[in-house]
């Protein structure tokens, strides 16, 4: 299980607290970056089980996917929720809509709620300010931040680079943002979630409100049991967060977000760079693991790069049953026939070779088939 220690809970949404990459209950078995593809046969499931493909993958009804049970019971919180509900409604009714005006939803109330949604014991960023220290004089800080953002004077600070050990002996780089940047990122993510929680596929589980690694595992179990699955494709992206293309991330987001002020904020966070041992280095690619905005950016990236294409492929190309479960850059697919599994793997690799921007091809690696 790959832990992201800096991600906060989403205001007004049920969040799982510890977003992580996981594809089975024996999490320790997957601490290695699998970065490979393997197709293995599994026992024949119960052929009499009847369920739709979406049910097998745990596609949530809108009510389940948009849980806002943690919404503050304050008048300002209620008003803000109603305004954001309007964004969600428009996103659902007009699937091709590009939202040109979103920043006005970023209010003082939302920034305040976003601050209290952050983890209070998280490590400080480059400025050394802790959550508790930022809370002193919070109202003035929030009002001043709100003013800087809306007049275009906000500047993102670099992430503080730290490393946490992995069970295989390697080190995982984590980027710790300053509290102020986390507050603003949380607020923007809350707004954008109203759009993308409508768009994202049901088989996408990573870093989403109301979804957890265990739900992904349950969906995979149900899919294998209820569909005619005989072969499993297990795939992982090598260094996904470190190699993600800034250019393509912003292009993908722009399919739905046309508010240039929101896009500039996202670009500032991507380009802020990292500070390690007091030395600043530029960020030309990737998004920091630990950033509040990174999970959403990564999900949008994978949505356009993989999810939409894979869903069309299984409906129009596959001969028989195919199930999909994705958690961040981990994905597991089940196929009724080995021929479908092999064809999908081949065409997916071809797609990556064509569409991954130059210079980032090394972030994808395949190791062929394994059989048990």
């Amino acid at each position: 299980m790959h832990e992201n220690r800096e991600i906060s809970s989403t205001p007004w949404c049920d969040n799982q607290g510890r977003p992580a990459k996981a594809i089975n209950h024996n999490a320790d078995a997957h601490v290695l970056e699998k970065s490979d593809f393997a197709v293995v046969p599994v026992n024949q499931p119960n052929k009499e089980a009847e369920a739709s493909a979406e049910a097998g993958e745990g596609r949530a009804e809108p009510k389940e996917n948009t849980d806002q049970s943690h919404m503050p019971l304050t008048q300002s919180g209620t008003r803000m929720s109603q305004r954001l509900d309007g964004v969600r409604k428009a996103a659902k009714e007009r699937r091709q809509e590009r939202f040109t005006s979103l920043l006005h939803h970023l209010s003082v109330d939302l920034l305040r709620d976003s601050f209290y949604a952050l983890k209070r014991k998280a490590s400080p960023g480059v400025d050394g300010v802790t959550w508790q220290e930022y809370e002193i004089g919070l109202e003035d800080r929030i009002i001043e931040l709100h003013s800087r953002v809306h007049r275009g004077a906000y500047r993102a600070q670099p992430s503080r680079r730290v490393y946490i050990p992995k069970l295989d002996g390697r080190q995982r780089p984590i980027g710790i943002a300053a509290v102020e940047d986390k507050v603003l990122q949380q607020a923007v993510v809350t707004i954008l979630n109203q759009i993308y929680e409508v768009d994202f596929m049901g088989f996408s589980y990573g870093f989403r409100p109301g979804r957890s690694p265990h739900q992904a595992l349950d969906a995979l179990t149900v899919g294998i049991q209820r569909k005619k699955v005989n072969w499993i494709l297990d795939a992982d992206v090598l260094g996904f967060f470190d190699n993600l293309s800034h250019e393509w991330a912003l292009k993908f987001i722009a399919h739905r977000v046309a508010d240039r002020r929101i896009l500039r904020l996202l670009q500032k966070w991507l380009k802020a760079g990292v500070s390690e041992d007091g030395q600043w280095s530029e960020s030309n690619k990737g998004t920091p693991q630990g950033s509040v905005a990174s999970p959403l950016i990564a999900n949008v990236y994978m949505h356009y790069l993989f999810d939409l294409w894979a869903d069309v492929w299984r409906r129009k190309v596959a001969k028989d049953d195919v199930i999909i479960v994705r958690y961040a850059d981990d994905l597991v697919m089940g196929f009724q026939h080995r021929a479908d599994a092999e064809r999908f793997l081949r065409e997916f690799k071809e797609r990556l070779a064509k569409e991954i921007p130059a210079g980032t091809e090394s972030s994808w690696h395949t190791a062929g088939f394994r059989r048990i």
Side-chain angles (χ1 to χ4, degrees), residues 22-23 56-57 203-206 211-222 325-327:
I23 59 172
E57 292 159 12
F203 55 75
S204 168
Y205 286 85
R211 294 194 163 208
S212 70
H214 290 297
Q215 289 177 321
L217 296 171
D218 290 343
L220 180 60
T221 300
V222 171
V325 174
R326 181 177 67 80
Y327 196 100

Side-chain angles (χ1 to χ4, degrees), residues 57-275:
E57 292 159 12
R59 177 178 286 279
E61 296 298 325
K63 178 181 178 182
E64 295 175 88
N65 237 10
T66 60
D67 177 23
Q68 296 185 357
S69 59
H70 290 184
M71 184 179 68
L73 299 178
T74 62
Q75 186 175 4
S76 63
T78 301
R79 289 198 301 268
M80 176 57 66
S81 175
Q82 291 171 346
R83 289 195 290 269
L84 292 180
D85 282 345
V87 176
R88 184 184 295 272
K89 182 179 179 181
K92 186 175 181 179
E93 292 176 349
R94 300 187 293 276
R95 295 301 181 105
Q96 304 302 317
E97 182 88 2
R98 297 182 72 230
F99 290 82
T100 58
S101 180
L102 290 171
L103 192 68
H104 68 279
H105 292 291
L106 199 150
S107 65
V108 170
D109 292 329
L110 179 57
L111 289 171
R112 186 188 307 108
D113 290 332
S114 297
F115 170 75
Y116 283 110
L118 297 176
K119 290 186 175 181
R120 305 186 180 195
K121 295 183 179 180
S123 300
V126 293
D127 58 3
V129 177
T130 65
W131 187 96
Q132 289 76 14
E133 292 170 336
Y134 195 88
E135 189 182 25
I136 300 173
L138 176 64
E139 201 63 22
D140 290 338
R141 292 180 186 269
I142 292 296
I143 292 173
E144 197 270 338
L145 174 60
H146 177 267
S147 174
R148 277 189 286 128
V149 170
H150 282 269
R151 69 174 189 268
Y154 164 78
R155 296 292 180 267
Q157 300 180 68
S159 297
R160 182 169 68 88
R161 171 67 57 80
V162 298
Y163 295 87
I164 59 174
K166 300 169 63 175
L167 295 184
D168 64 352
R170 292 182 294 169
Q171 299 286 313
R172 177 178 299 281
I174 298 293
I176 303 177
V179 175
E180 177 181 88
D181 295 326
K182 291 180 186 177
V183 170
L184 184 54
Q185 288 181 30
Q186 181 68 77
V188 171
V189 167
T190 300
I191 295 170
L192 296 183
N193 271 342
Q194 312 310 309
I195 300 171
Y196 290 112
E197 281 303 299
V198 170
D199 288 0
F200 287 156
M201 303 298 296
F203 55 75
S204 168
Y205 286 85
F207 311 126
R208 293 181 58 187
R211 294 194 163 208
S212 70
H214 290 297
Q215 289 177 321
L217 296 171
D218 290 343
L220 180 60
T221 300
V222 171
I224 291 173
Q225 291 175 343
R226 296 186 180 181
K227 306 301 289 185
K228 298 175 181 178
V229 172
N230 301 305
W231 294 84
I232 293 293
L233 171 64
D234 176 12
D236 181 78
V237 183
L238 173 64
F240 174 67
F241 284 91
D242 296 332
N243 292 283
L244 178 149
S245 164
H246 293 174
E247 179 185 1
W248 279 97
L250 292 171
K251 284 182 178 179
F252 290 149
I253 293 170
H255 282 307
R256 285 291 252 166
V257 178
D259 189 326
R260 294 182 180 180
R261 299 167 298 177
I262 294 291
L263 293 174
R264 278 198 296 268
L265 286 175
L266 294 168
Q267 185 175 36
K268 286 179 180 180
W269 295 326
L270 289 171
K271 299 292 186 182
V274 298
S275 177

